[in-house]
DNA sequence: GCTCATGTTCCCCT
DNA sequence: CAGGGGAACATGAG
């Protein structure tokens, strides 16, 4: 699931249950998921620390303590679950234990990862490869960062160095709403199309935020993309699928060309 | 058995 | 060097 709206949902979960609270201990850390640290170092560094308000950069969730910060990436199947009694799940890869319950980082496929940033410089080494967060980037900055690319527009939107947070679903959705063919070269878009695309991306993200996921709305591409033989919610044309950047890409061949 | 999956990275070509 | 294709990663679901 995790694209920007999903991670924003996880941020809210963390803020509600873990921020301004002290972790009593850290358990069940899967050692194949820790990056540049080990389960033991992580547990030692976080135990008895008090979390501050978490924030998000693209698909990364950053959880500062005042000392080290916990950084989570959810890959394709990650989530954050609060529990005050239910048994743990087999895919829980990290458990933060608090006095009133547990916050569990769950991740079936184990893409993504868990980092410990001991100082601002270490944090910068984790986030530094990402472009600005999509909810913060201005239209001018977007155009500037997009400029000069020779790739398809969809590949550029998925590239987290341009701006961070879009994924396969949100990229397809915004391109469909903007009526732009995902296969087009970035250089072929005119100013008006770039402006429309920017607005649609912002709209897709902002409309999704309250749900904490990208909703499968009937009026959106998301509502039809999963059915075999699905049709365009606007014009009824049979949707087409192809692969761009290694990912399934769904679009309306009539309106996006 | 087979295909496909909302992410990222790395290798090999062009 | 930029970018595309494909594979890899790990674990399912249908």
């Amino acid at each position: 699931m995790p694209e920007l709206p999903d991670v924003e949902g996880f941020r809210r979960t963390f803020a509600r249950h873990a921020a301004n609270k002290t972790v009593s201990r850290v358990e069940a850390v899967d050692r194949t998921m820790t990056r540049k640290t080990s389960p033991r170092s992580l547990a030692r560094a976080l135990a008895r620390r008090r979390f501050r308000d978490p924030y998000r950069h693209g698909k990364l969730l950053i959880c500062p303590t005042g000392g080290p910060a916990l950084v989570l990436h959810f890959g394709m199947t990650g989530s954050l679950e609060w529990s005050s009694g239910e048994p743990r799940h087999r895919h829980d890869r990290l458990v933060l234990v608090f006095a009133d319950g547990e916050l569990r980082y769950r991740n079936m496929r184990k893409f993504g990862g868990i980092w410990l940033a001991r100082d601002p410089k270490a944090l910068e080494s984790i986030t530094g490869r990402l472009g600005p967060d999509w909810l913060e980037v201005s239209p001018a900055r977007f155009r500037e960062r997009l400029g000069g690319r020779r790739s398809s527009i969809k590949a550029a939107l998925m590239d987290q160095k341009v701006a961070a947070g879009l994924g396969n679903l949100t990229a397809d959705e915004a391109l469909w709403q903007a009526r732009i063919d995902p296969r087009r070269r970035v250089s072929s878009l005119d100013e008006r199309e770039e402006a429309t695309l920017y607005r649609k991306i912002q709209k897709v993200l902002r409309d999704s935020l309250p749900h904490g996921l990208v909703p499968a709305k009937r009026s959106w591409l998301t509502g039809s993309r999963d059915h075999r033989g699905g049709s365009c919610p606007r014009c009824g044309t049979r949707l087409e699928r192809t692969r761009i950047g290694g990912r399934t890409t769904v679009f309306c061949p009539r309106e996006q060309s």
Side-chain angles (χ1 to χ4, degrees):
Chain A
M1 327 140 62
E3 300 190 20
L4 187 151
D6 309 81
V7 181
E8 187 59 22
F10 304 149
R11 188 195 62 76
R12 291 197 292 259
T13 297
F14 194 98
R16 188 176 317 123
H17 296 292
N20 303 306
K21 279 164 50 179
T22 301
V23 202
S24 21
R25 41 184 207 288
V26 179
E27 294 182 350
V29 188
D30 183 326
R31 71 174 319 105
T32 69
M33 295 236 55
T34 46
R35 305 282 177 261
K36 317 259 182 197
T37 186
S38 66
R40 177 174 293 188
S41 307
L42 185 79
R44 280 187 183 157
L46 294 177
R48 292 177 303 283
R49 302 216 73 122
R50 188 180 173 82
F51 279 110
R52 296 186 174 175
D53 288 330
Y55 62 97
R56 189 187 48 67
H57 184 152
K59 299 169 192 171
L60 284 179
L61 181 64
I62 299 152
C63 312
T65 63
L70 171 66
V71 180
L72 300 173
H73 190 289
F74 298 88
M76 287 175 90
T77 57
S79 67
L80 214 46
E81 311 286 338
W82 173 256
S83 161
S84 41
E86 297 85 351
R88 287 184 189 166
H89 190 279
R90 58 189 296 219
H91 298 139
D92 289 340
R93 313 295 186 187
L94 163 69
V95 176
L96 303 176
V97 182
F98 296 90
D100 57 343
E102 297 183 351
L103 195 58
R104 301 166 180 173
Y105 167 80
R106 193 164 297 171
N107 196 334
M108 181 183 83
R109 283 167 76 187
K110 303 209 284 186
F111 295 165
I114 303 167
W115 290 259
L116 180 71
R118 294 187 178 273
D119 54 54
K121 198 176 165 188
L123 184 56
E124 163 63 25
S125 75
I126 301 167
T127 62
R129 320 180 67 154
L130 301 175
D133 186 84
W134 252 109
L135 294 182
E136 307 285 324
V137 75
S138 69
R141 186 109 182 275
F142 169 54
R143 292 199 59 203
E144 173 189 310
R145 300 187 65 85
L146 203 55
R149 302 203 156 237
R150 289 182 290 173
S151 69
S152 68
I153 183 59
K154 171 156 180 193
L157 294 183
M158 303 263 294
D159 186 343
Q160 305 294 302
K161 289 193 286 292
V162 172
L166 290 190
N168 198 35
L169 286 186
T170 41
D172 276 4
E173 186 64 40
L175 286 162
W176 176 79
Q177 291 195 16
R179 294 181 163 84
I180 293 171
D181 186 330
R183 299 165 296 186
R184 280 180 54 192
R185 299 297 96 185
V186 168
S187 56
S188 78
L189 300 192
D190 63 28
E191 226 171 289
R192 187 185 55 83
E193 289 174 316
E194 282 183 4
T196 303
L197 183 53
Y198 174 90
R199 283 200 311 275
K200 295 304 186 185
I201 289 168
Q202 291 293 338
K203 173 174 163 46
V204 168
L205 294 177
R206 287 173 199 285
D207 287 353
S208 299
L209 286 184
H211 303 271
L213 49 80
V214 187
K217 296 189 189 216
R218 243 195 295 277
S219 59
W220 280 19
L221 181 67
T222 49
S224 306
R225 64 173 298 146
D226 292 338
H227 318 155
R228 56 321 177 243
S231 54
C232 174
R234 281 188 306 239
C235 74
T237 301
R238 175 70 56 92
L239 294 170
E240 217 161 276
R241 50 188 64 220
T242 181
R243 286 184 90 75
I244 296 178
R247 319 229 56 85
T248 299
T249 299
V250 181
F251 66 102
C252 172
R254 177 157 172 268
E255 300 181 325
Q256 295 172 271
S257 55

